[in-house]
Amino acid sequence: MNDRNNNYAEFFLESAQTVLSQMAGLESGVSGPGLQSTNSLQSQGFAVIIGIVGSRKGRVVIDTTKETAVAISSKMNGDEPVDQELLICSMSELGNIIVGNAITKINNANKGENLSLSPPSVLFGDKLSIISPKILTEKIQLRTSLGSILISIGFERGV
Amino acid sequence: MDVKLASPFVESVFHILGQIGLANVQRGKLGLRENLRTSMNVSAVIGLSNMVRGNVVYTMSQDTANKLASLMMGMPVEQFDEIAQSAIAELANMIVSNTVTLFEKQKIVVEVSPPTLVVGENIMASISQVQTLVVEVITEAGLIEVNIGLET
């Protein structure tokens, strides 16, 4: 894994922890080893996928269980009960802000870097696998009181 | 969503499927959905940014994915394994690259992320948080749904 990628993981970690704290009042710690380079992940059932374009192309997947997603969404909305629409909306927004913040910091820190993000897609279901062929991924496992959240950062090789 | 923006996405599906050897491709139903609930287990998700922001998701059954992969690889594909997954991601890439080219001709700059495949059951998706335009494409390999969610 080259230096630039290592940089990226730190920015995403920092962003995720900050945003979870600010938007959901949720503290999070890193659990488990960070670097794994498989290009597929077994989803816990609920995933937010955000594409990244610009100076490098890739995607970020924020993956958790549906239960954790519901609990986080509730926290984001003053502990209100969460219907499907609010769930999707909240988790989309969470993903959007985590990734948006991280890439802003990456762009500021790396001269000539010019990343931007696509709008989020939210997918959930059973026996979900998320596969990114030809993408080098790094995974950050976050542990919170509401459950665990995986952040997978993947970029095309080369460049 | 500006529905005119959807046509390069659909045109490209026809064009590329023709290139890989599917002769008899037809457009089926067109619909607008709040969310996408699909019974088909393979989805290729591609993010779009710059002058057209959103996502496009191609959905198909595992059986259709295997048949398309077979066509692309020139050999029978029985299981949706790594090789087949690569082939479908590549197919999605080819279709979307063609879409980018068609937009360029209209002086519209679109940047696309690499495809992410999602495989599972009872998949529910919300694409770009907007209404999704769903275009059915009927092929000899099976049904492919083109789900387009654009913020523009």
Side-chain angles (χ1 to χ4, degrees), chain A residues 39-40 49 51-55 57-59 61 84-85 88-90 92-93 96 116-135 156, chain B residues 35 37 43 45-50 53-55 57 80 82 85-86 89-90 93 111-129 149 151:
Chain A
N39 59 19
S40 80
I49 301 176
I52 300 192
V53 300
S55 42
K57 291 181 190 293
R59 95 290 180 273
V61 180
Q84 188 161 275
E85 206 185 305
I88 290 173
C89 189
S90 306
S92 256
E93 191 54 12
N96 197 28
S116 67
L117 69 174
S118 75
S121 286
V122 174
L123 289 96
F124 50 97
D126 303 323
K127 304 184 190 168
L128 229 49
S129 290
I130 299 173
I131 303 149
S132 308
K134 299 195 185 150
I135 298 294
E156 283 179 339
Chain B
N35 288 314
R37 159 146 289 170
S43 294
V45 180
I46 293 167
L48 314 157
S49 193
N50 204 312
R53 284 179 49 78
N55 284 275
V57 180
F80 196 54
E82 266 188 49
Q85 290 160 10
S86 255
E90 187 51 30
N93 245 342
E111 290 183 76
V112 298
S113 75
T116 301
L117 295 184
V118 181
V119 182
E121 291 169 17
N122 306 315
I123 296 178
M124 174 78 185
S126 168
I127 299 172
S128 320
Q129 283 271 85
E151 284 185 351

